[in-house]
Amino acid sequence: MKEKETGVREIAYPGQVLGDKKEFLPGVGTFEEDGKIISKFLGILTKSGNYISVVPLAGVYVPKPGEHVIGIITAVEKVGWVVDINSPWESFLSLSEAVDEFIDVKRVMLNRYYDEGDVIYAQIASAKRGDVQLSMRGPSCKKLKDGVLVKITPSKVPRLIGKEGSMINLIKEKTGTMIRVGQNGVVWISGEKVDKAIVAIKKIDEKSHIYGLTDEITKLLSD
Amino acid sequence: MVKIKGIELIKDGKRLDGRKPFETREVEMKVGIIPNANGSAMVRFGKTTAIAAVYGPRLLLPKHLQEMDKAIIQCRYNMAPFSTDERIKPGTSRREMEISKVVRLALEPVLFLENYPKTTIDVYIEIIQADGSTRVTSVNAASLALADAGIPMKDLVVALSGGKINGQLILDLNGIEDNNSEADVPMAFMPNKKHITLLQMDGELKHEEISKLINEMFKAGEIIYKKQIEALKNRYSE
Amino acid sequence: MRANYILKLLEKDERLDGRKLDQFRPIVIEKGIIERAEGSARVKIGKTDIIAGVKMEIETPFPDTPNEGTLKTNIEFAPIAHPDFIPGPPSEDATEIARVVDRGIRESNSIDLEKLCLIEGEKVWGVFIDLHVINHDGNLIDASSLASVAALMNTKIPKYEDNKIIRTEFIGKLPVLHTPINVVVSKILDKYIVDADKEEEEVVDAWLSVATREDGYVCAMQKGGSKALSLNDIDYMIDLSSKKSKELRKLL
């Protein structure tokens, strides 16, 4: 049996030569030059199959179509809403992507659907050249009420969720909370022990680079 | 600082602070020192300390400055009022503006900017203490801060200064050497391919002296490169 | 949504980071960190991080105080410290902080300015306190005041000879007579807190900055925030501020 690994995962830095094109394939977070695979980021080095990848340890959220995000409505406009999605770019939720019924925009104030400060779980419909459009059409999209928002590094979202949701389910279970995680690094928490859930989530954000994180979180939540 | 006439800066192969000609000062680097910033670093060469912070990529305003297919990088080099002997009055000098520009150009070639249309990556540098070679110290700090911010990069950027005192070529000029040198040559380069991204010179040097100096800077740059890597890894030690 | 959470917790006398209402975040003071300045200190209160540097320069005295040295306090909201700080001339907030800190030091007669006179009416020492914010996570006033006083206590006067300052030689320490300590007390709803962090500052209704001297005298005050305060509020806030200032002074 393979011995359990401890300590820090292998960290790659920008410009580091990770392998030769003859042996490996370039994965995410890398680029090729002169037959070499080189890291683009300061991040965690991962090898799966023949692929070498680097998962960045920091960075802003770059929206991709299909991803789910948590956003805050920052302005109500004539034909839709401006939404802050924790990204360099503002996004827009148009009326037709938000409400199914026909609305006469001359008569109805849009803030009766979503108002400034409302928090939504939405999907990226398109993202081109910094023009980001949202949609509320997906089955899981909805307004999130009465919760607390916490931000983590967007690239660490997969770590927070864990394999098949193992990490996030552990936190939900141990703290009696409901949690939603946006790919943009915004996390919504509601329920009993919100404070404890926040501590656990922040810890995962800070310590994503160590082995045995699940054990540490289990311990933290059992105290 | 003032020029001192006839000063002997090197004696029996040793400089005033005891260094050999091609020896750098003590170098210290720390990554992730400003929690508010997307990325940050402190770099110290002897008594010269630079702090760099990166904010962004973030939306660039006003709109007419935006590039539709990539991020732009903006850079500001500033000296703290207490960083030198005589207090510096707040406000940007011509010297600071020029350095801001050459530092930006030193960094630009390593950045992949095309993922971030309409945005700016702001690199802010504060010189907390100045004792020569502040611009190259700034470049090292900025290189680390950019990596720390999760900005995609082709390579890191390593920088140091070279020069000539009392007829002798040297590396890493301190303040008194800088003020009394026959030449000083700040340089930055991408270590993988040794591509030079910043090169300035003032003073008097022969062509072969310049070549010799650049080669010595490449050599000593390896040590600085290793320090950068170590500092980046230490950010995530435990 | 975060703001609501802060308010909800405060109703139960609780804060986001688990502190008591009258509790500071951890404070770290380092003195003498800038060799090139005549005095310096770095103060961290939680994630707030400020460097104070003191430079001594030769100045002409003010006509009404021809035998006294001068004092000037300046703060730079360096853009490294917060995403909202942009390069440019000092903002209204920055200017207010510099003046509040300056007044605490000036009005408490912290520095024996008469000892800084070289030639009456012509030449005196000017004491320049420059504050450089490295990271802004709230309570810049207390951090600035603490860093300034710590830096002054650490300041040496250079030698002055043949109309030149010799920065490598010193004639002695800056005569610091008193240590004024600023503590801002903030009111949110009907609660009073000290050391509000950045998130808390955004929901503060009103605040009072009080600079207290080691002998208990109050030397400077400044009321801020958009809501009004009653005399009862003020009484309570001065008391709390003076009490906390004693704790902070021990750290110097």
Side-chain angles (χ1 to χ4, degrees), chain A residues 83-187:
Chain A
V83 188
D84 171 3
I85 53 162
N86 189 38
S87 157
W89 307 278
E90 279 183 336
S91 66
F92 192 72
L93 173 64
S94 68
L95 188 55
S96 61
E97 287 293 331
V99 185
D100 271 335
E101 61 208 86
F102 172 76
I103 293 159
D104 183 354
V105 288
K106 280 188 196 122
R107 291 190 187 185
V108 180
M109 299 279 279
L110 290 195
N111 60 5
R112 61 180 258 212
Y113 300 97
Y114 300 109
D115 205 352
E116 237 180 88
D118 280 355
V119 178
I120 57 170
Y121 186 74
Q123 197 169 19
I124 307 286
S126 67
K128 267 184 214 145
R129 295 192 159 211
D131 175 18
V132 184
Q133 299 287 328
L134 294 181
S135 170
M136 293 298 283
R137 289 183 176 276
S140 57
C141 295
K142 62 185 247 186
K143 193 192 283 189
L144 300 172
K145 288 176 192 161
D146 302 324
V148 178
L149 296 182
V150 182
K151 282 182 191 175
I152 65 162
T153 313
S155 64
K156 293 176 184 173
V157 164
R159 197 92 169 101
L160 173 61
I161 292 169
K163 274 198 188 109
E164 282 146 25
S166 58
M167 187 72 93
I168 201 74
N169 287 334
L170 175 75
I171 302 173
K172 284 186 198 168
E173 214 175 278
K174 293 268 184 185
T175 59
T177 52
M178 289 193 292
I179 303 177
R180 275 209 189 207
V181 185
Q183 289 296 321
N184 58 336
V186 181
V187 183

Side-chain angles (χ1 to χ4, degrees), chain B residues 1 34-37 47 51 53 55 58 76 78 80-87 90 124 126 128-131, chain C residues 33-37 47 51-53 55 57 74 76 78-83 87 128 130 132 134-137 167:
Chain B
M1 239 193 252
I34 300 175
N36 281 344
K47 285 182 198 168
I51 292 179
Y55 284 92
R58 55 183 176 184
R76 182 209 191 229
N78 180 61
F82 46 74
S83 62
T84 53
D85 278 348
E86 204 172 314
R87 176 176 184 262
Y124 297 124
E126 298 291 331
I128 296 304
Q129 181 154 238
D131 188 24
Chain C
I33 49 147
I34 314 256
E35 279 180 64
R36 307 214 72 169
K47 285 181 182 163
I51 293 177
K55 290 304 298 178
E57 302 289 348
N74 170 66
E76 180 107 0
I80 58 168
H82 193 273
F128 290 86
D130 280 290
H132 226 66
I134 305 298
N135 191 69
H136 173 24
D137 190 24
R167 306 255 180 202

Side-chain angles (χ1 to χ4, degrees), chain A residues 46-67:
Chain A
T46 55
K47 288 180 185 167
S48 89
N50 282 331
Y51 280 94
I52 300 184
S53 319
V54 176
V55 181
L57 283 154
V60 296
Y61 175 62
V62 180
K64 289 182 195 72
E67 286 182 344

Side-chain angles (χ1 to χ4, degrees), chain A residues 8 15 34 40 88-89 207 209, chain B residues 57 117 150 153 192-193 236-238:
Chain A
V8 180
D34 306 335
K40 272 188 187 179
W89 307 278
K207 297 281 179 184
H209 57 286
Chain B
M153 298 163 86
N192 268 345
K193 294 193 152 184
Y236 295 100
S237 51
E238 260 306 314

